[in-house]
Amino acid sequence: MQNQERLLTVDTTNTKVELLFAITEALLGVSEQSIRGKLRDKDIALARNIIGYIITVELGVTVKDTGKLINRDHATICYYTRNFDGNYKYYPDFRDQYTLVSETFWSNCLVAERYDIDLQVMSLQNLIDKLEERKRSLIKIH
């Protein structure tokens, strides 16, 4: 049996959500467990609001699925997205923390995506090389 290599497809949404939780914990000191939990402390609620907004609006996940990711109902996620502009404009803590998390998240995503693309290019080059080798061996046979 011939050994075949395949390109792997990865659900980048889950990977990005995991990265977002990690960045939020590192920058704001709020754990994923706290964000998914029931506590309503100011810092936790603020981080939860930011994550809910980024997942829904910037990553394009539905409000229902975003709610599942952070253990909230879809109405809460709608509330986060609907009130984002006012929070950003009038609430300096929200604006500063959102900007910090969002900029860090997207810069890390770009680095990760470049790395993923480099890996895919190397994988494709290996496949091309194997096809060229197979082609040469078939030409020799005929």
Side-chain angles (χ1 to χ4, degrees):
M1 182 179 234
Q2 184 176 344
N3 183 14
Q4 296 180 345
E5 287 187 16
R6 295 182 216 168
L7 290 176
L8 297 175
T9 57
V10 177
D11 183 358
T12 57
T13 302
N14 282 342
T15 305
K16 288 179 180 175
V17 170
E18 291 166 8
L19 176 63
L20 181 58
F21 276 117
I23 287 170
T24 302
E25 183 168 5
L27 297 176
L28 305 183
V30 179
S31 70
E32 179 177 343
Q33 182 180 0
S34 295
I35 289 167
R36 290 182 170 161
K38 295 185 185 273
L39 293 176
R40 295 170 54 172
D41 297 358
K42 176 185 170 190
D43 294 338
I44 295 170
L46 192 62
R48 188 182 293 133
N49 190 313
I50 290 167
I51 284 183
Y53 178 83
I54 291 173
I55 293 172
T56 303
V57 175
E58 297 181 18
L59 291 179
V61 176
T62 65
V63 292
K64 183 177 177 181
D65 288 339
T66 300
K68 288 178 186 176
L69 288 169
I70 64 171
N71 199 26
R72 294 292 179 275
D73 63 21
H74 77 283
T76 301
I77 307 306
C78 290
Y79 174 83
Y80 292 160
T81 58
R82 187 174 54 249
N83 290 314
F84 175 82
D85 290 336
N87 286 339
Y88 189 85
K89 185 174 181 180
Y90 297 110
Y91 188 23
D93 286 344
F94 179 88
R95 180 177 47 251
D96 295 343
Q97 290 183 19
Y98 165 77
T99 302
L100 180 63
V101 170
S102 182
E103 287 178 357
T104 304
F105 171 69
W106 285 111
S107 66
N108 278 280
C109 280
L110 292 174
V111 169
E113 285 176 0
R114 276 188 233 129
Y115 178 74
D116 289 346
I117 290 169
D118 289 344
L119 287 176
Q120 290 173 342
V121 168
M122 288 186 332
S123 178
L124 286 171
Q125 187 59 53
N126 287 338
L127 290 172
I128 290 168
D129 293 345
K130 287 181 180 186
L131 286 171
E132 289 290 334
E133 186 178 309
R134 179 84 173 129
K135 177 181 163 185
R136 284 191 295 274
S137 69
L138 288 173
I139 290 174
K140 282 183 183 179
I141 295 174
H142 294 328

